[in-house]
Amino acid sequence: MAPTSSQKPDLASTRLYPWLFVALWSTGFIGAKYGLPDAEPLTFLTIRYALVLFLMGAIVLWTRAPWPPLGRAWGHIAISGLLVHGVYLGGVFTAIGHGLPAGITALVVGLQPLLTALGAGLFLGERVRATQWLGLALGLLGVGLVLAHKVAAGLSNAALLMMLLPALLALLGITAGTLYQKRFCPGFDLRTGSLIQFLPCLALTGLAAWLSGETLQVHWSGAFVFALSWLVLVLSLGAVSLLNVLIRQGSAIHVASLFYLVPPTTAVFAWALFGETLTGLALLGMAVTVFGVWLARR
């Protein structure tokens, strides 16, 4: 819910929002790594969306959250949710579920800030300064350095192009969704707005799972239950709410530049949880990425 004049968050908390968002959002690839062995990607997401709607619906009833006016506002919020969540997550989970390494998936989606900068100038009238272009370019370079060894290992796969298509669709979804929400529905109650955003995601993802021939079977292992719980509570309720707040408060370019920090942060989590190595090149890439994001957000 948008803060009123008597409910403005303090400045220190507001400054923490971007970094908290990056930390939470970066765990999405880790959750996929844990959960996808026990469920097909679209089936996994359908269950996730259903749980999010159940929990958020209970919160809406308990808090008596206000609804936006019926009509165009509902349509704009639903479309933004379908793009930011349905298309983006569907593409990422499908790409990883079909064998595309998470590193390459993250690198493809890492093109989002550059596409968003182009779109912000064309559709939102935001002026992209030379230092911001430099920061965006450095951020992309840094992400490439972080993931260089993973990309090199994955390019030997003969079906790489077909695996890349869902990742490219995810890239277009998150970019278009960020721009669309910033232009048509930058402010809405986060509780009722989440319900409106995730309803079309549930309907279309469930339909896609059925039409694509997924078996709709789930192995309810401990790892799957943990991954599902984490993605529902921490990602879909926590990180998504932060994303909506950031889109409301800042420019599209500022929000998009944060996604450059996701692959390096994910690499750190993978090192801590799975023992994946961090090369000297990866550490250099992290430093370049952080500097690039700092330039883009000045």
Side-chain angles (χ1 to χ4, degrees):
M1 182 169 56
T4 64
S5 58
S6 61
Q7 295 176 311
K8 291 181 180 179
D10 62 89
L11 185 59
S13 298
T14 303
R15 287 177 174 174
L16 285 176
Y17 289 165
W19 316 117
L20 180 59
F21 166 75
V22 169
L24 296 182
W25 196 268
S26 299
T27 63
F29 289 103
I30 305 299
K33 186 179 181 72
Y34 270 117
L36 281 175
D38 294 312
E40 292 159 301
L42 297 180
T43 301
F44 191 166
L45 286 175
T46 300
I47 298 172
R48 175 178 172 179
Y49 295 149
L51 289 175
V52 170
L53 287 169
F54 174 78
L55 292 175
M56 190 56 75
I59 292 173
V60 167
L61 291 175
W62 180 47
T63 60
R64 298 182 180 180
W67 292 88
L70 287 172
R72 184 174 297 179
W74 279 59
H76 287 320
I77 296 172
I79 291 173
S80 70
L82 188 59
L83 291 170
V84 172
H85 309 309
V87 177
Y88 169 72
L89 290 176
V92 167
F93 272 60
T94 299
I96 296 176
H98 284 76
L100 188 68
I104 299 179
T105 307
L107 183 58
V108 172
V109 179
L111 295 171
Q112 185 220 347
L114 286 175
L115 289 184
T116 302
L118 292 173
L122 292 173
F123 302 113
L124 301 180
E126 294 184 8
R127 179 171 173 264
V128 187
R129 300 186 304 274
T131 53
Q132 288 182 302
W133 280 117
L134 177 59
L136 293 169
L138 286 174
L140 180 61
L141 173 62
V143 170
L145 292 175
V146 171
L147 302 174
H149 67 290
K150 294 184 178 182
V151 173
L155 286 177
S156 61
N157 195 321
L160 180 61
L161 179 60
M162 291 303 297
M163 293 178 183
L164 278 173
L165 292 179
L168 291 172
L169 184 63
L171 168 64
L172 295 176
I174 189 70
T175 302
T178 301
L179 295 171
Y180 189 94
Q181 183 168 327
K182 184 64 181 177
R183 177 166 183 176
F184 294 107
C185 49
F188 52 83
D189 187 276
L190 298 180
R191 297 158 295 181
T192 53
S194 293
L195 283 181
I196 300 170
Q197 284 190 322
F198 280 106
L199 272 172
C201 296
L202 173 63
L204 294 183
T205 303
L207 179 62
W210 178 63
L211 292 176
S212 65
E214 289 193 0
T215 63
L216 308 182
Q217 295 180 352
V218 177
H219 178 224
W220 293 91
S221 66
F224 178 80
V225 172
F226 171 79
L228 180 63
S229 301
W230 182 270
L231 292 175
V232 168
L233 297 174
V234 177
L235 268 294
S236 293
L237 296 183
V240 168
S241 294
L242 281 173
L243 177 61
N244 288 331
V245 170
L246 292 171
I247 291 175
R248 177 186 304 167
Q249 292 180 344
S251 71
I253 300 168
H254 281 178
V255 176
S257 65
L258 293 173
F259 284 88
Y260 275 149
L261 297 176
V262 171
T265 308
T266 302
V268 172
F269 283 137
W271 167 76
L273 295 174
F274 307 119
E276 295 186 7
T277 58
L278 283 175
T279 64
L281 193 63
L283 294 175
L284 173 62
M286 290 182 187
V288 172
T289 299
V290 171
F291 180 66
V293 171
W294 176 78
L295 274 181
R297 292 179 58 82
R298 285 184 62 185

